[in-house]
């Protein structure tokens, strides 16, 4: 992920029944390109999560270039196996919502959540996040991949673990314990892995 390249990367769709890209400009520039198998995983997972949490709306963030390589300002995202997923959100009253991704908010990356997962009138939809991560894990195995690691703010990860099904996800998926160079509160970064180890956890 940090020193990689990619050949013939495929772009993710800008929109779907329950998801959209963080920025149409970013998509037009090709900043939503991934490995072919990762593309299949993402689309299958959104379809499964849509059946489990039909009112949830998902937004994905940056992925990488079609040819891989350095992807400023990210330190990884170089081999088509990394993707940022913006946290699913609801209003404080429980209504479905989407993380705002206006340019002046750095396309969503400047939205700040407190230690309880709240940002103004929005709060993280942890059940939707659990459903999404579970669907990603299952879809990855179908494609011969695995989730290598997830980077998410530690205090919010703990709250995820107290959500129904969250404890199982924390046991099934490796969350990075290292302190990230940025907080990762408005999105969770996922690295996939290929090869023989993909049949593992």
């Amino acid at each position: 992920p940090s020193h990689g390249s990619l050949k013939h990367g495929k772009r993710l769709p800008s929109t779907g029944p329950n998801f959209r890209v963080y920025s149409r400009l970013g998509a037009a520039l090709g900043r939503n390109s991934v490995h072919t198998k990762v593309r299949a995983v993402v689309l299958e997972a959104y379809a499964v999560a849509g059946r489990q949490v039909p009112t949830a709306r998902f937004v994905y963030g940056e992925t990488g270039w079609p040819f891989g390589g350095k992807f400023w300002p990210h330190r990884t995202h170089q081999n088509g196996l990394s993707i940022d997923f913006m946290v699913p959100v609801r209003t404080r009253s429980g209504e479905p919502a989407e993380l705002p991704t206006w340019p002046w908010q750095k396309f969503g990356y400047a939205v700040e959540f407190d230690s309880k997962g709240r940002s103004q009138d929005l709060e993280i939809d942890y059940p939707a996040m659990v459903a999404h991560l579970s669907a990603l894990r299952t879809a990855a195995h179908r494609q011969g991949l695995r989730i290598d690691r997830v980077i998410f703010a530690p205090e919010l990860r703990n709250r995820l673990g107290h959500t129904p099904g969250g404890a199982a996800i924390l046991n099934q998926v490796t969350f990075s314990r290292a302190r990230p160079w940025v907080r990762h509160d408005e999105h969770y970064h996922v690295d996939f892995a290929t090869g023989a180890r993909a049949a593992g956890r």
Side-chain angles (χ1 to χ4, degrees):
S2 300
H3 303 282
S5 62
L6 177 66
K7 291 183 179 179
H8 310 300
K10 303 298 181 183
R11 297 187 185 190
L12 286 165
S14 296
T15 60
N18 63 339
F19 69 90
R20 68 170 174 84
V21 68
Y22 74 108
S23 164
R24 287 189 176 275
L25 174 60
L29 293 173
R31 295 179 69 93
N32 65 332
S33 302
V34 291
H35 188 285
T36 304
K37 289 186 175 182
V38 171
R39 186 181 191 275
V41 167
V42 171
L43 297 182
E44 179 182 330
Y46 277 145
V48 171
R51 293 192 292 269
Q52 295 178 349
V53 281
T55 61
R57 294 289 305 169
F58 297 94
V59 179
Y60 71 86
E62 299 213 290
T63 60
W65 297 118
F67 44 82
K70 291 185 178 180
F71 191 61
W72 188 88
H74 305 270
R75 293 184 177 180
T76 56
H77 294 257
Q78 294 192 23
N79 63 356
L81 300 177
S82 301
I83 180 168
D84 289 344
F85 293 104
M86 315 314 278
V87 291
V89 295
R90 289 184 177 271
T91 65
R92 297 283 186 95
S93 60
E95 294 298 316
E98 292 182 359
L99 188 82
T101 56
W102 299 107
W104 55 86
Q105 295 168 311
K106 295 184 178 178
F107 300 101
Y109 284 91
V111 177
E112 294 288 337
F113 287 87
D114 64 20
S115 61
K116 294 182 179 179
R118 294 177 176 177
S119 179
Q120 298 183 7
D121 186 48
L122 298 176
E123 58 185 19
I124 296 174
D125 187 346
Y126 290 108
M129 187 173 167
V130 167
H132 184 228
L133 284 168
S134 178
L136 282 174
R137 178 176 177 270
T138 300
H141 286 181
R142 273 192 232 283
Q143 292 294 326
L145 304 177
R146 65 183 173 87
I147 294 178
D148 188 52
R149 66 170 178 170
V150 176
I151 303 175
F152 191 46
E155 69 278 12
L156 301 179
R157 181 183 66 225
N158 292 338
R159 286 191 168 269
L160 179 71
H162 288 94
T163 303
I169 285 296
L170 294 185
N171 285 329
Q172 295 166 349
V173 175
T174 299
F175 280 75
S176 176
R177 299 291 174 176
R179 182 177 294 277
W181 70 291
V182 294
R183 185 166 168 241
H184 287 73
D185 56 324
E186 77 293 324
H187 76 279
Y188 43 108
H189 170 104
V190 177
D191 284 330
F192 293 94
T194 62
R197 290 182 60 202
R201 62 184 293 171

